[in-house]
mmCIF file with all atom_site columns, all heavy atoms in Angstrom:
data_model
loop_
_atom_site.group_PDB
_atom_site.id
_atom_site.type_symbol
_atom_site.label_atom_id
_atom_site.label_alt_id
_atom_site.label_comp_id
_atom_site.label_asym_id
_atom_site.label_entity_id
_atom_site.label_seq_id
_atom_site.pdbx_PDB_ins_code
_atom_site.Cartn_x
_atom_site.Cartn_y
_atom_site.Cartn_z
_atom_site.occupancy
_atom_site.B_iso_or_equiv
_atom_site.pdbx_formal_charge
_atom_site.auth_seq_id
_atom_site.auth_comp_id
_atom_site.auth_asym_id
_atom_site.auth_atom_id
_atom_site.pdbx_PDB_model_num
ATOM   1  N N   . SER A 1 53  ? 101.190 -7.356  12.383 1.00 98.00 ? 53  SER A N   1
ATOM   2  C CA  . SER A 1 53  ? 100.564 -6.589  13.458 1.00 98.00 ? 53  SER A CA  1
ATOM   3  C C   . SER A 1 53  ? 99.393  -7.382  14.021 1.00 98.00 ? 53  SER A C   1
ATOM   4  O O   . SER A 1 53  ? 98.898  -8.311  13.357 1.00 98.00 ? 53  SER A O   1
ATOM   5  C CB  . SER A 1 53  ? 100.034 -5.232  12.957 1.00 98.00 ? 53  SER A CB  1
ATOM   6  O OG  . SER A 1 53  ? 98.904  -5.410  12.140 1.00 98.00 ? 53  SER A OG  1
ATOM   7  N N   . ALA A 1 54  ? 98.938  -7.005  15.203 1.00 98.00 ? 54  ALA A N   1
ATOM   8  C CA  . ALA A 1 54  ? 97.740  -7.639  15.764 1.00 98.00 ? 54  ALA A CA  1
ATOM   9  C C   . ALA A 1 54  ? 96.520  -7.263  14.927 1.00 98.00 ? 54  ALA A C   1
ATOM   10 O O   . ALA A 1 54  ? 95.571  -8.048  14.822 1.00 98.00 ? 54  ALA A O   1
ATOM   11 C CB  . ALA A 1 54  ? 97.552  -7.216  17.210 1.00 98.00 ? 54  ALA A CB  1
ATOM   12 N N   . THR A 1 55  ? 96.545  -6.077  14.330 1.00 98.00 ? 55  THR A N   1
ATOM   13 C CA  . THR A 1 55  ? 95.438  -5.663  13.470 1.00 98.00 ? 55  THR A CA  1
ATOM   14 C C   . THR A 1 55  ? 95.291  -6.642  12.295 1.00 98.00 ? 55  THR A C   1
ATOM   15 O O   . THR A 1 55  ? 94.174  -7.077  11.985 1.00 98.00 ? 55  THR A O   1
ATOM   16 C CB  . THR A 1 55  ? 95.707  -4.228  12.954 1.00 98.00 ? 55  THR A CB  1
ATOM   17 O OG1 . THR A 1 55  ? 95.886  -3.382  14.080 1.00 98.00 ? 55  THR A OG1 1
ATOM   18 C CG2 . THR A 1 55  ? 94.562  -3.723  12.104 1.00 98.00 ? 55  THR A CG2 1
ATOM   19 N N   . SER A 1 79  ? 88.152  -0.452  23.788 1.00 98.00 ? 79  SER A N   1
ATOM   20 C CA  . SER A 1 79  ? 89.314  -1.111  23.209 1.00 98.00 ? 79  SER A CA  1
ATOM   21 C C   . SER A 1 79  ? 89.937  -0.182  22.205 1.00 98.00 ? 79  SER A C   1
ATOM   22 O O   . SER A 1 79  ? 89.426  0.883   21.896 1.00 98.00 ? 79  SER A O   1
ATOM   23 C CB  . SER A 1 79  ? 88.906  -2.431  22.538 1.00 98.00 ? 79  SER A CB  1
ATOM   24 O OG  . SER A 1 79  ? 90.062  -3.104  22.066 1.00 98.00 ? 79  SER A OG  1
ATOM   25 N N   . ASP A 1 157 ? 90.855  -10.949 21.676 1.00 98.00 ? 157 ASP A N   1
ATOM   26 C CA  . ASP A 1 157 ? 91.870  -9.933  21.401 1.00 98.00 ? 157 ASP A CA  1
ATOM   27 C C   . ASP A 1 157 ? 92.704  -9.809  22.678 1.00 98.00 ? 157 ASP A C   1
ATOM   28 O O   . ASP A 1 157 ? 92.357  -9.089  23.607 1.00 98.00 ? 157 ASP A O   1
ATOM   29 C CB  . ASP A 1 157 ? 91.224  -8.601  21.009 1.00 98.00 ? 157 ASP A CB  1
ATOM   30 C CG  . ASP A 1 157 ? 92.265  -7.534  20.666 1.00 98.00 ? 157 ASP A CG  1
ATOM   31 O OD1 . ASP A 1 157 ? 93.458  -7.752  21.006 1.00 98.00 ? 157 ASP A OD1 1
ATOM   32 O OD2 . ASP A 1 157 ? 91.893  -6.499  20.093 1.00 98.00 ? 157 ASP A OD2 1
ATOM   33 N N   . SER A 1 159 ? 95.710  -8.689  22.947 1.00 98.00 ? 159 SER A N   1
ATOM   34 C CA  . SER A 1 159 ? 96.822  -7.781  22.667 1.00 98.00 ? 159 SER A CA  1
ATOM   35 C C   . SER A 1 159 ? 97.524  -7.306  23.935 1.00 98.00 ? 159 SER A C   1
ATOM   36 O O   . SER A 1 159 ? 98.711  -7.011  23.917 1.00 98.00 ? 159 SER A O   1
ATOM   37 C CB  . SER A 1 159 ? 96.321  -6.561  21.885 1.00 98.00 ? 159 SER A CB  1
ATOM   38 O OG  . SER A 1 159 ? 95.946  -6.951  20.582 1.00 98.00 ? 159 SER A OG  1
ATOM   39 N N   . HIS A 1 160 ? 96.768  -7.206  25.051 1.00 98.00 ? 160 HIS A N   1
ATOM   40 C CA  . HIS A 1 160 ? 97.323  -6.718  26.309 1.00 98.00 ? 160 HIS A CA  1
ATOM   41 C C   . HIS A 1 160 ? 97.847  -7.853  27.195 1.00 98.00 ? 160 HIS A C   1
ATOM   42 O O   . HIS A 1 160 ? 98.378  -7.574  28.258 1.00 98.00 ? 160 HIS A O   1
ATOM   43 C CB  . HIS A 1 160 ? 96.248  -6.013  27.148 1.00 98.00 ? 160 HIS A CB  1
ATOM   44 C CG  . HIS A 1 160 ? 95.633  -4.813  26.483 1.00 98.00 ? 160 HIS A CG  1
ATOM   45 N ND1 . HIS A 1 160 ? 94.703  -4.026  27.116 1.00 98.00 ? 160 HIS A ND1 1
ATOM   46 C CD2 . HIS A 1 160 ? 95.846  -4.258  25.268 1.00 98.00 ? 160 HIS A CD2 1
ATOM   47 C CE1 . HIS A 1 160 ? 94.333  -3.022  26.305 1.00 98.00 ? 160 HIS A CE1 1
ATOM   48 N NE2 . HIS A 1 160 ? 95.003  -3.160  25.172 1.00 98.00 ? 160 HIS A NE2 1
ATOM   49 N N   . SER A 1 183 ? 99.522  -8.711  20.402 1.00 98.00 ? 183 SER A N   1
ATOM   50 C CA  . SER A 1 183 ? 100.230 -7.624  19.709 1.00 98.00 ? 183 SER A CA  1
ATOM   51 C C   . SER A 1 183 ? 101.638 -7.487  20.272 1.00 98.00 ? 183 SER A C   1
ATOM   52 O O   . SER A 1 183 ? 101.857 -7.649  21.475 1.00 98.00 ? 183 SER A O   1
ATOM   53 C CB  . SER A 1 183 ? 99.486  -6.295  19.927 1.00 98.00 ? 183 SER A CB  1
ATOM   54 O OG  . SER A 1 183 ? 100.286 -5.220  19.455 1.00 98.00 ? 183 SER A OG  1
ATOM   55 N N   . LYS A 1 188 ? 103.394 -2.950  24.272 1.00 97.00 ? 188 LYS A N   1
ATOM   56 C CA  . LYS A 1 188 ? 102.744 -4.167  24.746 1.00 97.00 ? 188 LYS A CA  1
ATOM   57 C C   . LYS A 1 188 ? 103.724 -5.027  25.566 1.00 97.00 ? 188 LYS A C   1
ATOM   58 O O   . LYS A 1 188 ? 104.820 -4.601  25.846 1.00 97.00 ? 188 LYS A O   1
ATOM   59 C CB  . LYS A 1 188 ? 102.164 -4.927  23.560 1.00 97.00 ? 188 LYS A CB  1
ATOM   60 C CG  . LYS A 1 188 ? 101.170 -4.115  22.706 1.00 97.00 ? 188 LYS A CG  1
ATOM   61 C CD  . LYS A 1 188 ? 99.834  -3.849  23.414 1.00 97.00 ? 188 LYS A CD  1
ATOM   62 C CE  . LYS A 1 188 ? 99.016  -2.738  22.771 1.00 97.00 ? 188 LYS A CE  1
ATOM   63 N NZ  . LYS A 1 188 ? 98.436  -3.047  21.479 1.00 97.00 ? 188 LYS A NZ  1
ATOM   64 N N   . GLY A 1 195 ? 104.149 -5.953  15.078 1.00 98.00 ? 195 GLY A N   1
ATOM   65 C CA  . GLY A 1 195 ? 104.003 -7.401  14.957 1.00 98.00 ? 195 GLY A CA  1
ATOM   66 C C   . GLY A 1 195 ? 102.849 -7.926  15.754 1.00 98.00 ? 195 GLY A C   1
ATOM   67 O O   . GLY A 1 195 ? 102.322 -7.236  16.655 1.00 98.00 ? 195 GLY A O   1
ATOM   68 N N   . TYR A 1 329 ? 90.138  3.727   27.075 1.00 98.00 ? 329 TYR A N   1
ATOM   69 C CA  . TYR A 1 329 ? 90.136  4.147   25.677 1.00 98.00 ? 329 TYR A CA  1
ATOM   70 C C   . TYR A 1 329 ? 88.968  5.106   25.456 1.00 98.00 ? 329 TYR A C   1
ATOM   71 O O   . TYR A 1 329 ? 87.961  5.008   26.162 1.00 98.00 ? 329 TYR A O   1
ATOM   72 C CB  . TYR A 1 329 ? 89.902  2.932   24.760 1.00 98.00 ? 329 TYR A CB  1
ATOM   73 C CG  . TYR A 1 329 ? 91.113  2.014   24.650 1.00 98.00 ? 329 TYR A CG  1
ATOM   74 C CD1 . TYR A 1 329 ? 91.191  0.867   25.404 1.00 98.00 ? 329 TYR A CD1 1
ATOM   75 C CD2 . TYR A 1 329 ? 92.157  2.322   23.771 1.00 98.00 ? 329 TYR A CD2 1
ATOM   76 C CE1 . TYR A 1 329 ? 92.296  0.016   25.298 1.00 98.00 ? 329 TYR A CE1 1
ATOM   77 C CE2 . TYR A 1 329 ? 93.263  1.465   23.660 1.00 98.00 ? 329 TYR A CE2 1
ATOM   78 C CZ  . TYR A 1 329 ? 93.319  0.324   24.426 1.00 98.00 ? 329 TYR A CZ  1
ATOM   79 O OH  . TYR A 1 329 ? 94.399  -0.504  24.321 1.00 98.00 ? 329 TYR A OH  1
HETATM 80 C C1  . PLP B 2 .   ? 97.517  -2.648  20.393 1.00 67.78 ? 1   PLP B C1  1
HETATM 81 C C2  . PLP B 2 .   ? 96.173  -3.233  20.194 1.00 67.78 ? 1   PLP B C2  1
HETATM 82 C C3  . PLP B 2 .   ? 95.718  -3.708  18.957 1.00 67.78 ? 1   PLP B C3  1
HETATM 83 C C4  . PLP B 2 .   ? 96.484  -3.491  17.683 1.00 67.78 ? 1   PLP B C4  1
HETATM 84 O O1  . PLP B 2 .   ? 97.754  -3.993  17.749 1.00 67.78 ? 1   PLP B O1  1
HETATM 85 P P1  . PLP B 2 .   ? 98.795  -3.675  16.565 1.00 67.78 ? 1   PLP B P1  1
HETATM 86 O O2  . PLP B 2 .   ? 99.822  -4.735  16.744 1.00 67.78 ? 1   PLP B O2  1
HETATM 87 O O3  . PLP B 2 .   ? 99.310  -2.294  16.826 1.00 67.78 ? 1   PLP B O3  1
HETATM 88 O O4  . PLP B 2 .   ? 98.074  -3.789  15.274 1.00 67.78 ? 1   PLP B O4  1
HETATM 89 C C5  . PLP B 2 .   ? 94.491  -4.346  18.875 1.00 67.78 ? 1   PLP B C5  1
HETATM 90 N N1  . PLP B 2 .   ? 93.717  -4.486  19.968 1.00 67.78 ? 1   PLP B N1  1
HETATM 91 C C6  . PLP B 2 .   ? 94.097  -4.023  21.168 1.00 67.78 ? 1   PLP B C6  1
HETATM 92 C C7  . PLP B 2 .   ? 93.199  -4.244  22.333 1.00 67.78 ? 1   PLP B C7  1
HETATM 93 C C8  . PLP B 2 .   ? 95.318  -3.373  21.320 1.00 67.78 ? 1   PLP B C8  1
HETATM 94 O O5  . PLP B 2 .   ? 95.668  -2.875  22.514 1.00 67.78 ? 1   PLP B O5  1
#
Side-chain angles (χ1 to χ4, degrees):
S53 72
T55 304
S79 184
D157 182 345
S159 291
H160 299 183
S183 170
K188 303 289 164 71
Y329 287 99

